[in-house]
Amino acid sequence: MGHAHESNTKRIWIVLAILTIVTTVEVALGIIRPGVLVFNDFLGTHILNWIFIILTLVKAYYIAWSFMHLEGEKTWFRRSVVWTAVFLICYLVTLVLIEGGYLYDTLSPLVKW
């Protein structure tokens, strides 16, 4: 006896809707660029950049959660996959922001941005 085949059509549409909403918010913020978010800094970069970083992490987590089927795994495995990825992404973002700030400060007298 085989297992009955379950249709995941509803789940796929829900995932698509959530990812579409988050992406639409990102694109809208990128087009509108509200002055409150652009001209105020937090931890060395614009608040708008932090919003983009956080929304990108949310999308990456949700994609891993739904398409890699992490919701059905054991807690320790789920945490090891997700927290390792979150740590590495945060580390990469930190390094890029530090190096980008250094290059901007160093090259700004020489290059017209």
Side-chain angles (χ1 to χ4, degrees):
M1 291 187 169
H3 296 286
H5 177 69
E6 289 184 29
S7 176
N8 288 324
T9 306
K10 181 180 177 183
R11 183 168 182 253
I12 291 171
W13 282 108
I14 291 172
V15 170
L16 176 69
I18 291 171
L19 293 176
T20 302
I21 290 168
V22 173
T23 303
T24 304
V25 168
E26 284 180 333
V27 170
L29 285 174
I31 291 172
I32 297 170
R33 293 179 48 91
V36 173
L37 301 176
V38 173
F39 298 119
N40 293 325
D41 289 348
F42 179 72
L43 294 176
T45 189
H46 301 301
I47 295 175
L48 185 62
N49 290 345
W50 285 114
I51 291 173
F52 286 146
I53 291 167
I54 291 168
L55 288 176
T56 302
L57 287 173
V58 166
K59 284 196 313 188
Y61 178 80
Y62 192 67
I63 288 169
W65 182 265
S66 59
F67 293 122
M68 293 176 63
H69 307 288
L70 288 180
E71 73 272 9
E73 296 293 338
K74 293 185 184 258
T75 304
W76 63 268
F77 180 71
R78 193 171 50 226
R79 287 182 184 157
S80 67
V81 169
V82 170
W83 288 112
T84 302
V86 167
F87 170 75
L88 291 175
I89 290 170
C90 290
Y91 183 65
L92 174 69
V93 166
T94 302
L95 290 179
V96 167
L97 290 174
I98 289 171
E99 290 297 321
Y102 171 76
L103 286 175
Y104 181 77
D105 292 340
T106 304
L107 298 177
S108 60
L110 304 172
V111 178
K112 183 178 179 183
W113 299 101

